[in-house]
Amino acid sequence: MRGGPIRWTWPFMKDVIVVGGGAIGLFCAVRLRQGGARVWLLESGHEHPTYYTPIASAAAAGMIAPISNEPSVHATVALESFDLWRAMRRGAEWEDAVRFDGAVVVRPSQAEAAAFVAKAAQLGRKAQILSAGEFRKRTGFRAKVDHALFVEAEGTADPLRMLTGLGMQAHALGVLRFYDTDVWEVTATTATTHEGKVFEADAVVLAPGVWANDAMIKAAPALKQVRAGKGMLAAVALEAGLGPNLRAGEIYLAQRREDVVLGSTLEFDKFDRKVDRAKIADLHSAAERLLPGEVTLTEQAWAGVRPMSPDGWPMIGPNGEGVLLAAGHSRDGWLMAPITAEIITAYVFDNEIPPEWAALSPERFEQS
Ligand SMILES: Cc1cc2nc3c(=O)[nH]c(=O)nc-3n(C[C@H](O)[C@H](O)[C@H](O)COP(=O)(O)OP(=O)(O)OC[C@H]3O[C@@H](n4cnc5c(N)ncnc54)[C@H](O)[C@@H]3O)c2cc1C
């Protein structure tokens, strides 16, 4: 350009509103901003969550567990998200909130343990059968446990430290964050608060967890499919710290930054966050059967409400009136948060959507 003033242009600059500041909304806000968008994050709650804040992300165990027993067409996307965790963590404000110590998985028989190892290998990940002695070495427990295996590709993110760290990262990147801001209505390009303030942008990302209101469901009807899945966790004391996660059927133990948690229950269509001590006692009994006398309950227990989708996988992509939906993350919201942000960013910038990402579109339920 000769003569006139130099104008810096951002050829791909987009304005994006993200509604919801849980794990999903925060990861989306950060990633969109890193991709060059101008981002408004609107969150009805406070900036500093605790276990008792009514959002799933704060209550979670935080396991980043991409390999499970269940066969799924989405297994490779889960692994992609796990790899993104490792890549994004370096130098991030929340670097110290995440550990990648793998997992010890207990299965009912040697054949099932071998099948899990084979599945991990098929997905290109390392796993090995553990003898009873190796189980003790890996976990620090004294119990004799047969039919266990160790899988490398697993970790844990400390949810509260993550939420704070993601908030700091968003702030440092210049995401415009509005807390105590309850969104009433959305369209493909606007979000209107209860007070009547209207935000306008090129795209609106909806990440309300299980808390979508009727106006949001009208704009993005797939949200109707999201059911409440109440879950309870308890903090436990162990003689020695736990390294890898321990998963055994319906229970698990996960070492976070400052505690070890025992989880978890699942009750559909329950929105309350009351702790039922009898159900915590059931979790503890299951831990006792596996590891007699080695897991002690503390006073601390809490509940959260997961946004459950019909197939347990998130709904990511355009829906209804053109709103971008990032919802229904079920039991794996922390695991799937980075890939969700990646996919949403691709939709916002009109990038190519590979078939395995398109398979997570909310439309999949309409087709079925
Ligand atoms: C007991 C338990 C254990 C779990 N363990 C794991 C685990 O080990 N690993 C794992 O990957 N996942 C786990 N999960 C699941 C995971 O926590 C969820 O899938 C994930 O947190 C969902 O994140 P989200 O951001 O969609 O929802 P939320 O965390 O609920 O966030 C939604 C946000 O949207 C805001 N919002 C809603 N409506 C509005 C509005 N109108 N205006 C403005 N803001 C609004 C809410 O205030 C909230 O902050 C667990 C969950 C529970 C309850």
Side-chain angles (χ1 to χ4, degrees):
M1 185 194 294
R2 276 186 215 146
I6 295 172
R7 243 185 104 222
W8 291 103
T9 55
W10 292 60
F12 303 113
M13 175 64 104
K14 295 261 187 171
D15 287 350
V16 186
I17 296 164
V18 177
V19 181
I24 304 305
L26 276 167
F27 259 99
C28 286
V30 163
R31 180 64 188 86
L32 283 161
R33 184 73 193 128
Q34 286 170 335
R38 194 159 41 185
V39 181
W40 284 261
L41 178 73
L42 311 182
E43 163 57 47
S44 58
H46 305 306
E47 184 174 354
H48 301 293
T50 70
Y51 290 138
Y52 308 106
T53 306
I55 71 171
S57 305
M63 290 189 301
I64 311 169
I67 305 178
S68 75
N69 309 319
E70 313 297 329
S72 171
V73 290
H74 306 299
T76 55
V77 186
L79 274 166
E80 210 179 338
S81 201
F82 177 78
D83 292 340
L84 276 174
W85 266 104
R86 299 198 76 124
M88 291 171 72
R89 171 185 180 231
R90 250 167 273 128
E93 280 75 356
W94 40 267
E95 193 170 9
D96 62 348
V98 194
R99 42 195 297 155
F100 295 104
D101 295 333
V104 170
V105 181
V106 180
R107 301 295 296 138
S109 68
Q110 202 62 11
E112 289 193 46
F116 195 110
V117 170
K119 180 176 177 185
Q122 219 175 33
L123 292 164
R125 305 298 159 131
K126 279 192 201 144
Q128 70 191 76
I129 297 282
L130 299 179
S131 66
E134 286 163 340
F135 173 87
R136 289 190 189 111
K137 252 194 227 153
R138 283 274 184 195
T139 61
F141 289 118
R142 294 186 305 273
K144 180 175 183 304
V145 173
D146 301 312
H147 322 316
L149 62 110
F150 176 73
V151 59
E152 222 175 74
E154 189 158 323
T156 314
D158 188 278
L160 293 180
R161 174 73 191 94
M162 275 305 304
L163 290 169
T164 309
L166 284 166
M168 284 161 59
Q169 187 178 25
H171 176 71
L173 287 167
V175 171
L176 303 160
R177 298 175 306 147
F178 292 79
Y179 287 92
D180 302 308
T181 300
D182 203 3
V183 172
W184 171 238
E185 214 165 20
V186 293
T187 67
T189 54
T190 62
T192 307
T193 68
H194 269 281
E195 286 77 36
K197 191 171 161 60
V198 182
F199 291 81
E200 274 187 84
D202 300 302
V204 173
V205 178
L206 210 43
V210 77
W211 310 108
N213 62 27
D214 289 348
M216 287 177 181
I217 294 173
K218 196 164 159 249
L223 282 170
K224 238 188 300 187
Q225 311 262 6
V226 177
R227 286 172 74 184
K230 178 180 173 181
M232 278 177 270
L233 288 178
V236 293
L238 308 177
E239 277 169 27
L242 181 76
N245 297 335
L246 177 66
R247 294 199 270 132
E250 281 310 297
I251 61 157
Y252 57 75
L253 290 165
Q255 170 81 58
R256 311 193 307 178
R257 244 165 74 101
E258 277 148 26
D259 56 10
V260 178
V261 289
L262 167 65
S264 72
T265 60
L266 173 61
E267 292 170 89
F268 279 100
D269 303 325
K270 281 203 160 184
F271 282 89
D272 73 274
R273 288 178 301 113
K274 229 176 89 195
V275 173
D276 179 341
R277 291 280 161 191
K279 290 207 160 67
I280 297 289
D282 288 345
L283 284 177
H284 186 239
S285 303
E288 266 296 300
R289 284 194 291 277
L290 184 70
L291 308 159
E294 298 195 78
V295 178
T296 311
L297 280 179
T298 68
E299 280 300 300
Q300 207 178 17
W302 59 93
V305 189
R306 308 173 182 96
M308 303 296 294
S309 76
D311 63 3
W313 291 93
M315 306 179 214
I316 312 167
N319 190 235
E321 298 169 10
V323 172
L324 287 170
L325 201 56
H329 285 69
S330 307
R331 303 190 81 160
D332 288 314
W334 278 108
L335 164 67
M336 296 297 283
I339 196 68
T340 301
E342 207 61 30
I343 299 173
I344 287 290
T345 304
Y347 276 113
V348 165
F349 287 99
D350 299 320
N351 293 339
E352 198 189 326
I353 307 290
E356 62 277 18
W357 291 5
L360 288 169
S361 150
E363 315 295 325
R364 72 184 184 276
F365 300 120
E366 281 162 36
Q367 281 155 17
S368 67

